[in-house]
Amino acid sequence: LGMKIYRRSVEYALYIAIKELYGKKAKLLVGPHIEKGYYFDLFRDGRNDVSEKDIEDIRKKMQQIIARKLTFTLKEVSKKEAEKYFANRPELLDLIKQSDKKEFRIYVQKETGFADIFHGPIFPDTGYIQAFDLLMFAPGFILQFPDYVNKVLIMPKEPKQIKLTKVLRETREWYKIQGVENVAQLNEVIKSGEISEIIKIAEAFQEKKIAQIADMIAARRDQIKFVTIAGPSSSGKTTFAKRLSIQLMVNGIFPVALSLDDYFVERELTPRDEKGDYDFEVIEALDLKLINEHLATLLRNKPIKVPRFDFTTGHRKKETHDMCLEPGQVAILEGIHGLNDRLTATVPAENKFKIYISALNQLRIDDINRIPTTDCRLIRRMVRDYKYRGYSAQDTIGRWPSVRRGEERNIFPFQENADIIFNSALIYELAVLKKYAFPILKEVPKDSPEFPVAESLNTFLELFADCPEKEIPPTSIIREFIGESSFKY
């Protein structure tokens, strides 16, 4: 939550800088999260191009704004007043008009005329901003934020997420083609009844992508023997693996699952984290030696005896089951370490195909407020945990920082190792998840440490119109979280 406050405050300083430098007609459009920053497009006279001189000018202006210690006032205004404040921001004006709320909380910066809807707390004034940077990333630029390392602000290195960036830009362009780039546009589509068509198109788009991945594997069927699937929590890995299996069978390739859950080391050998608790998410929690021995054996078309792990006792069971890769078969390994080459060290690169999957939602709230992909995954996980695992929203929110630390350590550093990146986000999903998330978020006690996050998510979800579910197919990735999937989990 602290970094959200920091980022939102820096974004506001950037927006004020753009308006002071280029006037009210200049349009700043927030894009995806890349490395440790947000990508932005800057439109002037209909052109979207930024030079190194522009970057330096913007940086200097932001530094001046920070030095001026511009203060922000949080006001509560009527719906009519809010419409006046945002008359020049049509995407935000539409959102206000669509809302049933009679009053809105907004931030106002008196000297510059800046105003924005309250999407969460910010610094009292711009003087609290300690560090930021701007980086050319044609045709736009990246606003980079610092990390806290030992309570010291450290600026990130230059981003190198080339494959991820390509997928993010492709998703943004697809949203643009569908005419649904922000929440107001999605709400309009829902209220007009056209959401049925959007759902069908979104699901068909994902199925086409999965089929293309299966075709890529089929084109190298004589080489590829192992398909690894990795991604952060609530990315839809399980449903994706099942749908990919179907598309592989269409190509005459018959997948078999090799569960990494059966390869955990004995409980007493499990590494511990900094608190002294067992850390089941580090790769050392797996028996890498045995995994690689088995993969090498399967590659030689020899049978292996797959262990069975008992999570209750923390030990392997005595019984095993035989497995062998027959002609026309591939083994699918699904797990958080799928892109780490240590997991498959004995398998030559030409014999494996690595897939990274994540829910990279590129819908915006408005022009300058993005929707964090981590929030989308958290909402997915809350709904699934409550529905199927007996955890409250408070439980899930409380565990989330630990989950995120594990992802930063074990998943994200390896995402560019993937042969292909699959985006599991669905353009309509937050409007569907809202119905399930609202009631369980309201159960979070106001005096609990998890309440600020719950309140923030509630405020965010209030922006969405309710989306009907009848057109969502039973094989949809979102069914893994809301139910009525035709797959067994």
Side-chain angles (χ1 to χ4, degrees):
L1 188 61
M3 283 310 297
K4 282 188 177 182
I5 294 171
Y6 193 97
R7 290 168 183 163
R8 196 177 292 118
S9 302
V10 180
E11 280 186 273
Y12 284 178
L14 170 65
Y15 186 81
I16 294 170
I18 294 298
K19 294 303 178 183
E20 289 194 354
L21 278 170
Y22 306 113
K24 292 182 179 179
K25 291 185 178 180
K27 184 175 182 179
L28 191 66
L29 202 61
V30 69
H33 181 281
I34 302 175
E35 194 70 19
K36 299 295 182 182
Y38 297 161
Y39 173 83
F40 284 89
D41 286 307
L42 175 59
F43 293 89
R44 292 166 293 175
D45 299 322
R47 295 181 296 107
N48 175 25
D49 59 344
V50 178
S51 67
E52 288 287 1
K53 182 181 183 304
D54 291 327
I55 293 295
E56 188 55 36
D57 289 344
I58 297 169
R59 183 184 288 111
K60 286 180 179 178
K61 178 58 73 172
M62 287 183 69
Q63 289 167 344
Q64 292 171 8
I65 288 167
I66 292 169
R68 283 155 61 186
K69 297 184 178 181
L70 297 176
T71 57
F72 296 93
T73 302
L74 183 60
K75 300 177 64 176
E76 195 163 282
V77 299
S78 67
K79 187 171 186 176
K80 192 171 183 180
E81 287 178 293
E83 289 176 1
K84 289 180 180 179
Y85 268 107
F86 303 110
N88 294 322
R89 288 179 61 186
E91 85 292 352
L92 195 48
L93 183 61
D94 288 343
L95 201 56
I96 292 167
K97 288 181 176 180
Q98 291 168 355
S99 176
D100 294 328
K101 294 172 67 174
K102 295 181 179 180
E103 294 184 329
F104 293 83
R105 288 190 293 172
I106 67 172
Y107 280 116
V108 177
Q109 207 299 301
K110 187 176 180 181
E111 291 90 341
T112 62
F114 168 83
D116 195 30
I117 291 284
F118 174 85
H119 294 298
I122 60 172
F123 289 145
D125 66 64
T126 57
Y128 283 83
I129 298 171
Q130 298 179 48
F132 74 93
D133 202 2
L134 300 173
L135 181 71
M136 274 284 294
F137 203 81
F141 63 93
I142 296 172
L143 173 62
Q144 287 189 304
F145 308 106
D147 270 338
Y148 275 100
V149 179
N150 297 324
K151 298 184 179 180
V152 177
L153 286 169
I154 304 294
M155 290 306 300
K157 297 178 181 179
E158 182 173 329
K160 296 179 181 178
Q161 297 174 320
I162 307 303
K163 293 176 184 176
L164 183 66
T165 301
K166 181 181 177 182
V167 173
L168 292 169
R169 284 178 167 170
E170 179 188 54
T171 303
R172 286 184 73 205
E173 186 60 30
W174 187 80
Y175 282 20
K176 184 177 181 180
I177 291 169
Q178 301 308 315
V180 183
E181 297 182 82
N182 57 52
V183 176
Q185 290 172 337
L186 176 62
N187 288 345
E188 188 58 39
V189 167
I190 292 171
K191 291 179 179 180
S192 69
E194 296 174 9
I195 191 62
S196 173
E197 195 75 10
I198 290 293
I199 291 174
K200 291 186 180 77
I201 294 170
E203 295 291 344
F205 181 74
Q206 281 199 350
E207 192 62 32
K208 183 177 181 179
K209 289 292 181 183
I210 295 171
Q212 287 173 344
I213 294 171
D215 290 345
M216 292 170 68
I217 295 169
R220 293 171 50 200
R221 68 177 70 215
D222 294 335
Q223 290 182 311
I224 296 174
K225 299 300 178 184
F226 303 100
V227 176
T228 63
I229 301 171
S233 174
S234 303
S235 293
K237 294 185 289 295
T238 305
T239 301
F240 171 80
K242 292 178 182 296
R243 287 172 63 176
L244 178 63
S245 295
I246 292 170
Q247 290 293 343
L248 286 172
M249 287 188 277
V250 170
N251 282 277
I253 298 173
F254 298 92
V256 291
L258 184 61
S259 175
L260 295 176
D261 284 350
D262 286 321
Y263 285 89
F264 277 100
V265 298
E266 300 293 307
R267 185 64 46 84
E268 61 270 16
L269 299 177
T270 304
R272 294 180 181 268
D273 61 19
E274 57 276 6
K275 294 181 180 179
D277 298 324
Y278 288 119
D279 191 343
F280 298 107
E281 295 194 348
V282 294
I283 196 168
E284 290 79 12
L286 297 174
D287 190 338
L288 294 175
K289 184 174 182 291
L290 183 61
I291 291 172
N292 277 284
E293 285 177 0
H294 280 188
L295 296 182
T297 302
L298 289 172
L299 195 57
R300 297 195 302 269
N301 297 319
K302 301 292 183 181
I304 62 171
K305 291 189 177 296
V306 181
R308 292 185 185 276
F309 193 83
D310 187 330
F311 285 93
T312 304
T313 65
H315 298 283
R316 286 181 192 149
K317 295 181 179 180
K318 290 183 179 179
E319 63 265 28
T320 61
H321 70 274
D322 293 338
M323 177 180 174
C324 187
L325 280 184
E326 304 292 343
Q329 287 187 324
V330 296
I332 293 183
L333 289 76
E334 177 204 328
I336 64 173
H337 301 292
L339 303 182
N340 189 332
D341 285 329
R342 290 177 62 196
L343 184 76
T344 55
T346 57
V347 181
E350 62 268 20
N351 296 129
K352 53 192 173 185
F353 190 88
K354 296 180 287 188
I355 302 169
Y356 177 74
I357 173 174
S358 190
L360 305 165
N361 197 319
Q362 294 305 294
L363 195 71
R364 297 188 297 270
I365 295 177
D366 51 60
D367 285 355
I368 65 171
N369 291 287
R370 63 185 296 277
I371 298 174
T373 58
T374 53
D375 283 358
C376 299
R377 290 192 293 108
L378 174 56
I379 292 167
R380 279 184 175 188
R381 179 161 171 153
M382 276 194 312
V383 171
R384 183 192 61 193
D385 282 0
Y386 185 85
K387 195 174 182 70
Y388 298 110
R389 300 182 181 181
Y391 294 125
S392 67
Q394 183 181 1
D395 292 333
T396 303
I397 293 170
R399 289 186 179 93
W400 193 241
S402 175
V403 171
R404 295 282 294 119
R405 284 193 296 273
E407 292 170 350
E408 293 284 352
R409 190 170 63 232
N410 302 311
I411 301 175
F412 298 144
F414 303 100
Q415 60 193 12
E416 288 292 311
N417 293 348
D419 293 291
I420 195 77
I421 294 178
F422 177 79
N423 187 356
S424 71
L426 289 156
I427 196 169
Y428 66 86
E429 69 175 81
L430 286 167
V432 171
L433 289 166
K434 169 188 175 180
K435 180 180 80 172
Y436 297 90
F438 250 169
I440 62 175
L441 282 167
K442 291 186 182 299
E443 293 175 1
V444 178
K446 290 186 177 182
D447 59 351
S448 70
E450 294 79 19
F451 180 74
V453 174
E455 184 182 37
S456 174
L457 292 176
N458 250 331
T459 301
F460 159 63
L461 287 170
E462 283 178 347
L463 300 172
F464 291 85
D466 293 326
C467 178
E469 300 174 25
K470 63 179 180 179
E471 297 293 346
I472 304 174
T475 55
S476 173
I477 280 174
I478 205 63
R479 288 288 180 195
E480 182 177 330
F481 304 93
I482 67 172
E484 298 187 25
S485 174
S486 58
F487 293 119
K488 292 182 179 179
Y489 299 102

